[in-house]
Amino acid sequence: MKDRTLLMIPGPIEFEPDVLQALGAPTTSHVAPEFIEIFGQALERMREVWQAPTGQPLILAGSGTLAMDVVGANLIEPGDHALVLSTGTFGDRFEDLLSRYGAAVTVIRVPAGETIDFDEVDQVLDRGDFKLMTGTHVDTSTAVRIDAKRFGELGRTHKVLTVLDGVCSVAGEEILQGEWCLDVVLTASQKAIGVPPGLALLVVSERALVAWESRTSKVTSYYADWGKWLPVMEAYEKRQPSYFGTPAVNLICALHVSLGQILAEGMDARFARHAAIGAACRAGLKALGLGQVPTNDGHAANTLSAPRYPSGISAGDLLPRVRQAGAILAGGLHDQIKSEYFRIGHMGAVKPGDLLSTIGAIEAGLRAAGHCFELGAGVAASQQVLANV
Ligand code: PMP
């Protein structure tokens, strides 16, 4: 029987066949005219997907952490004050990262499951002299979303650069980078962008570029220096060959296809699909008697869910059984609650049928693990939500 196990972790995800075909095509030269066209178009498409008409897109070989590192390397000088808003593991990562570049870091950290209170952020910004603040749009360790629009607005009001970690949100949760005044929105290819792991993607505002140009000290990372990469990105957009480090040719061809698919779906339709599937997933889990890490549905992510195990059932009892029933899920990640919950990714090419299969597989796993519930209740609740959108 064909193996149809669904990869429903929060990245990497299931990829579209056309994207994988582009990835598997014979590799061309990074300065071949047809590749220059593809690279140039990919940069232009990023601007549309990020909704950042005046932003500078960057495509680098690396993972999401490189995209974060690029921010620290280019926008922090020793002694700069930075504010980190942390709703989980990936928020905390920015504290460590920015301090390595010499930033004095203040952290607003909330307990796992809670979101950021922007009135508090407003007050902290009033009192401090911050150059930059970071926020994790969706922290993949808690499935908590922050209000990215308010985040951008506060940055603009207080004249603080805003860096949104959108690794688990770009092309899944609504982001209007230009309108919301976000200075950097970064992500990685393997999530809602829909391309296998290997690309770090950023769109940078003019304001952030001015801050970078005004540095008084040299960027200490050689590879991450915008000074090396901006001329390359500008050249490809002008359809001219350029070189600093060899680009990930096949991944960029795959990105070009995926961005085309995303734009063909339409950003609003794509956000609405993610919202419907997110709501359907939460309803299905609730009907099975499972709690969730986010303390409120209003700030629960649409790109992944973080259900809690029923009492008496552990990761080892459940996840292998769900896998046997057809869906690969992820365990907990947040240090303080790791053993208490698991994670379901539902972003990118995910379809309603994938979600229903996943909820069905969770039901099969729960039943085999001895959890008491009405068989089919989860799938029915998810169906109900999907039928009403
Ligand atoms: N930020 C967030 C919100 C993430 O989910 C991840 C990856 N799970 C990262 C940053 C780091 O990305 P990568 O694993 O691609 O380095």
Side-chain angles (χ1 to χ4, degrees), residues 37 40 46 54 90 107 114 127 134 195 199 211 213 260 264 269 280 295 305-306 325 329 347 350 352 375 386:
E37 182 60 34
M46 275 178 69
T54 60
F90 293 101
V107 185
E114 289 180 19
R127 292 196 298 267
T134 67
V195 176
L199 293 178
E213 277 161 8
T295 52
S305 296
L329 306 181
M347 63 186 118
V350 66
L375 204 60
L386 292 168

Side-chain angles (χ1 to χ4, degrees), residues 63-65 68 90 93 136 138 140 165 167 188 190-191:
S63 77
T65 308
M68 296 168 77
F90 293 101
R93 183 170 286 197
T136 313
V138 168
T140 321
D165 173 349
V167 172
Q190 74 272 17
K191 305 241 182 186

